Amino acid sequence: EPSRGGSLRKDLGPSIERDPGSPNGVKNMESEVGWRGEFISVHDVLLAVAAWEVVNRGSAVALAALCRRRGFILAAGDASKVIAQGPSYVVSFFHALLVTTRGMWHVARLLQAPLSAQLKIPADPSDPWYAASGSEIKQTNLLFVSFLLNDLGHMLLSPALNDTALVIHHLGFIGASFICASYRFLPLPFSWLICGEASTILLNVRWGLLASGRAETTAMRVVEPAFALLFALARVIGYGAGLAHLWFHRERVGEGVPSGVVRSLLLLLLAGYALNLSWMRKIVAMGRSRKRRA
């Protein structure tokens, strides 16, 4: 499905020529194109980054108005913190909700696909798995990478939002997104990876409860263990199962993609998993500390 206002050739990225001698009648030029075969255009990314910024600015206005209402910020809360940092958390909440929903949809679709379509976007748009493996995931990847760029900008400009581990996380997955998009591979791994954003939904809710002075409420007592459980399921167990699937099919991963690119991408995925394990350890320690205080 070509993007609105763009040619099919531009949308597909790698040039495709008909070849009567090939099994499916298509001559795939991907290996010759490499980075020139953009699957997501820079123009689209910049527009999406701007759209997230509109959401951020709108959230800032809404939160400022809410903070003026009696009862929104409790005695233990910090209105200035909500106003200064809250918009980024609101944007993160909506992004996580959106891409998690789409990620689960992609996984459900691609688990029915042949392995070739799970690991590589078909070159031929007439392929029955082209939409599920390519054009549909393209939109989710656009949402994901544009959010990371927007959020990274806010973190670098605001010391209060700056977190070294999160900056590394964002840079790593921005790189991974552009690599996968440019070389049109690993659609299923992208899908299960994006499902990890499910835990971010509750992480943002937790931040809102803390910042508004609701740390000792029933809502917090429900959200904290739910967040820890969801993080473990999505970012440790689910992510680990996805890596195991890649290892099991390692001979097929990155067919037609330069080996250096494949190794770089896999290293980024392993580094992301190591970061998740580090965060999981901190979450468990935080939960134990809270129990002792109780």
Side-chain angles (χ1 to χ4, degrees):
E1 181 185 355
S3 58
R4 198 176 306 168
S7 68
L8 181 61
R9 184 183 181 89
K10 177 182 176 183
D11 188 67
L12 292 178
S15 56
I16 298 172
E17 297 176 4
R18 292 288 163 182
D19 181 2
S22 68
N24 59 359
V26 173
K27 180 181 179 183
N28 189 351
M29 306 290 287
E30 288 175 283
S31 60
E32 300 175 20
V33 176
W35 275 93
R36 290 174 291 163
E38 275 186 305
F39 196 53
I40 295 179
S41 73
V42 174
H43 176 264
D44 288 345
V45 171
L46 292 177
L47 283 178
V49 169
W52 286 122
E53 187 60 24
V54 169
V55 178
N56 186 288
R57 300 296 176 90
S59 301
V61 173
L63 288 173
L66 285 171
C67 285
R68 289 193 293 268
R69 293 174 64 106
R70 182 174 303 199
F72 181 71
I73 302 295
L74 302 185
D78 186 341
S80 62
K81 182 177 182 179
V82 172
I83 292 170
Q85 301 176 34
S88 289
Y89 285 89
V90 172
V91 173
S92 176
F93 174 85
F94 285 114
H95 163 263
L97 191 63
L98 184 58
V99 298
T100 298
T101 302
R102 289 185 64 88
M104 291 190 293
W105 174 53
H106 295 323
V107 169
R109 295 255 284 156
L110 287 173
L111 285 178
Q112 304 172 55
L115 182 63
S116 58
Q118 293 177 353
L119 299 178
K120 198 83 159 57
I121 298 170
D124 186 359
S126 66
D127 187 292
W129 290 102
Y130 175 80
S133 183
S135 56
E136 291 169 1
I137 285 181
K138 169 187 172 179
Q139 302 305 320
T140 308
N141 195 9
L142 177 61
L143 290 168
F144 180 58
V145 75
S146 61
F147 163 76
L148 292 179
L149 286 166
N150 180 272
D151 198 47
L152 181 62
H154 282 281
M155 283 194 289
L156 295 177
L157 292 171
S158 172
L161 292 170
N162 202 319
D163 181 300
T164 302
L166 208 51
V167 168
I168 294 171
H169 168 275
H170 281 24
L171 288 172
F173 282 107
I174 287 169
S177 291
F178 275 109
I179 289 172
C180 286
S182 295
Y183 288 97
R184 304 162 56 84
F185 77 130
L186 301 188
L188 178 60
F190 170 81
S191 301
W192 56 251
L193 182 69
I194 208 75
C195 288
E197 290 297 306
S199 64
T200 305
I201 298 169
L202 291 182
L203 178 64
N204 290 318
V205 172
R206 178 183 179 276
W207 182 91
L209 292 171
L210 286 170
S212 63
R214 293 171 170 81
E216 302 302 326
T217 60
T218 301
M220 179 61 87
R221 286 190 286 273
V222 171
V223 166
E224 280 206 321
F227 161 66
L229 177 62
L230 198 52
F231 190 98
L233 289 173
R235 292 185 181 254
V236 177
I237 297 173
Y239 199 133
L243 289 177
H245 179 264
L246 281 176
W247 173 255
F248 185 76
H249 297 293
R250 59 190 178 279
E251 300 298 329
R252 299 283 305 276
V253 172
E255 289 180 345
V257 179
S259 59
V261 171
V262 176
R263 283 196 293 268
S264 298
L265 193 282
L266 294 178
L267 282 174
L268 285 172
L269 291 179
L270 288 171
Y273 191 59
L275 186 59
N276 284 345
L277 292 176
S278 173
W279 280 336
M280 185 76 249
R281 183 179 177 183
K282 290 179 181 178
I283 291 167
V284 171
M286 181 180 65
R288 287 175 176 170
S289 174
R290 190 175 180 86
K291 273 188 175 181
R292 283 196 295 268
R293 290 198 307 269

PDB file of all heavy atoms in Angstrom, residues 123-138:
ATOM      1  N   ALA A 123       9.484  -8.826  -1.141  1.00  0.00           N
ATOM      2  CA  ALA A 123       9.826  -7.766  -2.085  1.00  0.00           C
ATOM      3  C   ALA A 123       8.666  -7.446  -3.026  1.00  0.00           C
ATOM      4  O   ALA A 123       8.540  -6.319  -3.505  1.00  0.00           O
ATOM      5  CB  ALA A 123      11.059  -8.167  -2.891  1.00  0.00           C
ATOM      6  N   ASP A 124       7.829  -8.427  -3.271  1.00  0.00           N
ATOM      7  CA  ASP A 124       6.742  -8.265  -4.229  1.00  0.00           C
ATOM      8  C   ASP A 124       5.468  -7.820  -3.524  1.00  0.00           C
ATOM      9  O   ASP A 124       4.945  -8.546  -2.670  1.00  0.00           O
ATOM     10  CB  ASP A 124       6.510  -9.597  -4.940  1.00  0.00           C
ATOM     11  CG  ASP A 124       5.494  -9.496  -6.062  1.00  0.00           C
ATOM     12  OD1 ASP A 124       4.950  -8.389  -6.269  1.00  0.00           O
ATOM     13  OD2 ASP A 124       5.246 -10.514  -6.724  1.00  0.00           O
ATOM     14  N   PRO A 125       4.903  -6.651  -3.836  1.00  0.00           N
ATOM     15  CA  PRO A 125       3.666  -6.186  -3.197  1.00  0.00           C
ATOM     16  C   PRO A 125       2.470  -7.102  -3.419  1.00  0.00           C
ATOM     17  O   PRO A 125       1.488  -7.023  -2.679  1.00  0.00           O
ATOM     18  CB  PRO A 125       3.424  -4.815  -3.846  1.00  0.00           C
ATOM     19  CG  PRO A 125       4.753  -4.397  -4.355  1.00  0.00           C
ATOM     20  CD  PRO A 125       5.454  -5.655  -4.762  1.00  0.00           C
ATOM     21  N   SER A 126       2.552  -7.975  -4.424  1.00  0.00           N
ATOM     22  CA  SER A 126       1.435  -8.899  -4.657  1.00  0.00           C
ATOM     23  C   SER A 126       1.516 -10.132  -3.748  1.00  0.00           C
ATOM     24  O   SER A 126       0.584 -10.934  -3.719  1.00  0.00           O
ATOM     25  CB  SER A 126       1.414  -9.343  -6.126  1.00  0.00           C
ATOM     26  OG  SER A 126       2.571 -10.122  -6.429  1.00  0.00           O
ATOM     27  N   ASP A 127       2.609 -10.260  -3.014  1.00  0.00           N
ATOM     28  CA  ASP A 127       2.741 -11.369  -2.076  1.00  0.00           C
ATOM     29  C   ASP A 127       1.637 -11.259  -1.023  1.00  0.00           C
ATOM     30  O   ASP A 127       1.380 -10.185  -0.492  1.00  0.00           O
ATOM     31  CB  ASP A 127       4.115 -11.306  -1.390  1.00  0.00           C
ATOM     32  CG  ASP A 127       4.392 -12.528  -0.530  1.00  0.00           C
ATOM     33  OD1 ASP A 127       3.716 -12.703   0.506  1.00  0.00           O
ATOM     34  OD2 ASP A 127       5.295 -13.307  -0.881  1.00  0.00           O
ATOM     35  N   PRO A 128       0.948 -12.373  -0.700  1.00  0.00           N
ATOM     36  CA  PRO A 128      -0.164 -12.306   0.270  1.00  0.00           C
ATOM     37  C   PRO A 128       0.246 -11.826   1.661  1.00  0.00           C
ATOM     38  O   PRO A 128      -0.595 -11.364   2.428  1.00  0.00           O
ATOM     39  CB  PRO A 128      -0.688 -13.744   0.313  1.00  0.00           C
ATOM     40  CG  PRO A 128       0.417 -14.592  -0.246  1.00  0.00           C
ATOM     41  CD  PRO A 128       1.112 -13.729  -1.246  1.00  0.00           C
ATOM     42  N   TRP A 129       1.542 -11.915   2.001  1.00  0.00           N
ATOM     43  CA  TRP A 129       2.009 -11.482   3.320  1.00  0.00           C
ATOM     44  C   TRP A 129       2.710 -10.133   3.277  1.00  0.00           C
ATOM     45  O   TRP A 129       3.266  -9.695   4.280  1.00  0.00           O
ATOM     46  CB  TRP A 129       2.936 -12.542   3.926  1.00  0.00           C
ATOM     47  CG  TRP A 129       2.179 -13.779   4.303  1.00  0.00           C
ATOM     48  CD1 TRP A 129       2.120 -14.952   3.634  1.00  0.00           C
ATOM     49  CD2 TRP A 129       1.315 -13.923   5.432  1.00  0.00           C
ATOM     50  NE1 TRP A 129       1.285 -15.828   4.266  1.00  0.00           N
ATOM     51  CE2 TRP A 129       0.774 -15.221   5.387  1.00  0.00           C
ATOM     52  CE3 TRP A 129       0.937 -13.085   6.482  1.00  0.00           C
ATOM     53  CZ2 TRP A 129      -0.109 -15.703   6.337  1.00  0.00           C
ATOM     54  CZ3 TRP A 129       0.058 -13.564   7.442  1.00  0.00           C
ATOM     55  CH2 TRP A 129      -0.457 -14.856   7.369  1.00  0.00           C
ATOM     56  N   TYR A 130       2.653  -9.457   2.139  1.00  0.00           N
ATOM     57  CA  TYR A 130       3.344  -8.171   2.029  1.00  0.00           C
ATOM     58  C   TYR A 130       2.780  -7.134   3.005  1.00  0.00           C
ATOM     59  O   TYR A 130       3.524  -6.425   3.675  1.00  0.00           O
ATOM     60  CB  TYR A 130       3.262  -7.628   0.601  1.00  0.00           C
ATOM     61  CG  TYR A 130       3.866  -6.251   0.482  1.00  0.00           C
ATOM     62  CD1 TYR A 130       5.243  -6.089   0.393  1.00  0.00           C
ATOM     63  CD2 TYR A 130       3.070  -5.111   0.506  1.00  0.00           C
ATOM     64  CE1 TYR A 130       5.823  -4.834   0.320  1.00  0.00           C
ATOM     65  CE2 TYR A 130       3.645  -3.846   0.437  1.00  0.00           C
ATOM     66  CZ  TYR A 130       5.005  -3.719   0.338  1.00  0.00           C
ATOM     67  OH  TYR A 130       5.573  -2.469   0.282  1.00  0.00           O
ATOM     68  N   ALA A 131       1.446  -7.039   3.096  1.00  0.00           N
ATOM     69  CA  ALA A 131       0.834  -6.023   3.968  1.00  0.00           C
ATOM     70  C   ALA A 131       1.149  -6.310   5.435  1.00  0.00           C
ATOM     71  O   ALA A 131       1.592  -5.429   6.170  1.00  0.00           O
ATOM     72  CB  ALA A 131      -0.677  -5.976   3.750  1.00  0.00           C
ATOM     73  N   ALA A 132       0.924  -7.561   5.871  1.00  0.00           N
ATOM     74  CA  ALA A 132       1.137  -7.899   7.285  1.00  0.00           C
ATOM     75  C   ALA A 132       2.600  -7.773   7.673  1.00  0.00           C
ATOM     76  O   ALA A 132       2.925  -7.367   8.796  1.00  0.00           O
ATOM     77  CB  ALA A 132       0.649  -9.320   7.553  1.00  0.00           C
ATOM     78  N   SER A 133       3.498  -8.105   6.759  1.00  0.00           N
ATOM     79  CA  SER A 133       4.922  -8.094   7.060  1.00  0.00           C
ATOM     80  C   SER A 133       5.574  -6.748   6.770  1.00  0.00           C
ATOM     81  O   SER A 133       6.601  -6.416   7.362  1.00  0.00           O
ATOM     82  CB  SER A 133       5.614  -9.183   6.229  1.00  0.00           C
ATOM     83  OG  SER A 133       6.975  -9.261   6.532  1.00  0.00           O
ATOM     84  N   GLY A 134       4.973  -5.973   5.871  1.00  0.00           N
ATOM     85  CA  GLY A 134       5.612  -4.745   5.433  1.00  0.00           C
ATOM     86  C   GLY A 134       4.861  -3.463   5.693  1.00  0.00           C
ATOM     87  O   GLY A 134       5.154  -2.742   6.642  1.00  0.00           O
ATOM     88  N   SER A 135       3.861  -3.171   4.874  1.00  0.00           N
ATOM     89  CA  SER A 135       3.231  -1.850   4.914  1.00  0.00           C
ATOM     90  C   SER A 135       2.533  -1.562   6.236  1.00  0.00           C
ATOM     91  O   SER A 135       2.515  -0.419   6.696  1.00  0.00           O
ATOM     92  CB  SER A 135       2.239  -1.702   3.751  1.00  0.00           C
ATOM     93  OG  SER A 135       1.271  -2.734   3.769  1.00  0.00           O
ATOM     94  N   GLU A 136       1.958  -2.574   6.891  1.00  0.00           N
ATOM     95  CA  GLU A 136       1.295  -2.344   8.176  1.00  0.00           C
ATOM     96  C   GLU A 136       2.333  -2.061   9.274  1.00  0.00           C
ATOM     97  O   GLU A 136       2.152  -1.160  10.101  1.00  0.00           O
ATOM     98  CB  GLU A 136       0.441  -3.561   8.548  1.00  0.00           C
ATOM     99  CG  GLU A 136      -0.764  -3.739   7.637  1.00  0.00           C
ATOM    100  CD  GLU A 136      -1.461  -5.078   7.822  1.00  0.00           C
ATOM    101  OE1 GLU A 136      -1.010  -5.868   8.691  1.00  0.00           O
ATOM    102  OE2 GLU A 136      -2.451  -5.345   7.103  1.00  0.00           O
ATOM    103  N   ILE A 137       3.420  -2.821   9.257  1.00  0.00           N
ATOM    104  CA  ILE A 137       4.470  -2.621  10.255  1.00  0.00           C
ATOM    105  C   ILE A 137       5.211  -1.311  10.009  1.00  0.00           C
ATOM    106  O   ILE A 137       5.682  -0.667  10.951  1.00  0.00           O
ATOM    107  CB  ILE A 137       5.430  -3.825  10.258  1.00  0.00           C
ATOM    108  CG1 ILE A 137       4.735  -4.997  10.958  1.00  0.00           C
ATOM    109  CG2 ILE A 137       6.751  -3.503  10.942  1.00  0.00           C
ATOM    110  CD1 ILE A 137       5.550  -6.243  11.071  1.00  0.00           C
ATOM    111  N   LYS A 138       5.277  -0.904   8.755  1.00  0.00           N
ATOM    112  CA  LYS A 138       5.923   0.369   8.428  1.00  0.00           C
ATOM    113  C   LYS A 138       5.303   1.511   9.235  1.00  0.00           C
ATOM    114  O   LYS A 138       6.014   2.368   9.778  1.00  0.00           O
ATOM    115  CB  LYS A 138       5.784   0.653   6.937  1.00  0.00           C
ATOM    116  CG  LYS A 138       6.191   2.062   6.538  1.00  0.00           C
ATOM    117  CD  LYS A 138       5.856   2.324   5.075  1.00  0.00           C
ATOM    118  CE  LYS A 138       6.079   3.784   4.723  1.00  0.00           C
ATOM    119  NZ  LYS A 138       5.781   4.074   3.318  1.00  0.00           N
TER     120      LYS A 138
END
